[in-house]
Amino acid sequence: MLVLDEELRVRLASSDASALLGYEVPAGVYAPKILCRSEQKRPLAEALAEGRSVTAVLPGAARGGRQLKVRAIPLGAGAKGKSPLGTLLLLDDAG
């Protein structure tokens, strides 16, 4: 699990998330930068930027080149037409 702020920066990373990714996720890092490094992952980056819920499978994003399933859940409601107050990312090994 990763908890992101309104600027999509990691505020909290669980030990399970670090284990799935294969490294400790530092606080303050821009989440799309570490999760969405290629064009095929762009829909996830766009959904995060727009504050939308999304579920995606990211090829090669997990430790050992495995697929990573990511479910993004916007947290709280910002002012009308504004981004959410943060985002919860649930991570799972997708094989």
Side-chain angles (χ1 to χ4, degrees):
M1 169 189 72
L2 300 175
V3 178
L4 312 181
D5 64 16
E6 66 278 357
E7 296 175 349
L8 303 178
R9 297 199 177 277
V10 174
R11 291 297 161 216
L12 176 69
S14 70
S15 58
D16 287 342
S18 294
L20 276 171
L21 294 170
Y23 56 89
E24 188 170 329
V25 180
V29 69
Y30 185 60
K33 182 176 180 180
I34 62 171
L35 294 174
C36 307
R37 296 181 190 164
S38 72
E39 282 295 315
Q40 59 190 171
K41 299 170 190 170
R42 187 172 176 173
L44 174 63
E46 290 173 353
L48 290 173
E50 294 168 5
R52 293 186 286 118
S53 295
V54 66
T55 299
V57 175
L58 308 179
R63 180 179 51 180
R66 297 177 60 83
Q67 295 184 63
L68 181 69
K69 181 179 178 183
V70 179
R71 181 173 177 214
I73 304 166
L75 301 174
K80 188 174 181 177
K82 300 284 184 175
S83 298
L85 301 174
T87 304
L88 177 65
L89 296 183
L90 302 177
L91 309 179
D92 198 7
D93 187 334

